[in-house]
Amino acid sequence: MQRGIYWLAGSIAALALTFGCAENQAGPESRPTERSSGAAPISRAGWARLQTGATSDEVLGRLGHPVQIRVGMLVTYWYYSDRGDAGPYVCFDTRPMTVLRWREP
């Protein structure tokens, strides 16, 4: 059990460092961190190539960096606009960071 907690904390810390959102490690109740760059450019071809089970690295390669990230215990959301849940997003299973579902623009 303790090993799993350390693994999860390390994974969240790595994501936070990668995307500059260390303050967002508290879980789903925490506020999403916004990047100052505004909306990320969205490629229709990238969205068309998404598939369930894709890794976070594959998503980064196809869609680029998200505007906001919300890390939860079970799921992690990458938002690709400033509209949050109302805009395009990718939902990952937090532990393996693989795609569960998404909403295209």
Side-chain angles (χ1 to χ4, degrees):
M1 174 71 176
Q2 194 172 21
R3 182 177 177 192
I5 291 171
Y6 288 133
W7 182 90
L8 181 59
S11 297
I12 291 171
L15 278 173
L17 290 173
T18 301
F19 297 107
C21 61
E23 66 196 27
N24 200 20
Q25 295 179 26
E29 293 78 27
S30 63
R31 63 181 175 76
T33 302
E34 296 187 29
R35 291 181 39 191
S36 59
S37 62
I42 297 173
S43 162
R44 296 275 180 198
W47 286 99
R49 291 180 19 224
L50 272 185
Q51 52 187 296
T52 304
T55 66
S56 57
D57 287 338
E58 291 171 326
V59 173
L60 281 174
R62 293 174 184 161
L63 301 179
H65 290 278
V67 175
Q68 300 175 353
I69 298 173
R70 179 172 289 150
V71 179
M73 299 255 327
L74 300 176
V75 294
T76 296
Y77 285 90
W78 287 7
Y79 297 102
Y80 283 89
S81 81
D82 293 327
R83 300 181 331 173
D85 292 333
Y89 64 81
V90 178
C91 177
F92 294 90
D93 182 344
T94 295
R95 187 164 183 189
M97 282 305 287
T98 55
V99 174
L100 294 173
R101 62 185 174 276
W102 63 90
R103 176 186 292 152
E104 296 183 25

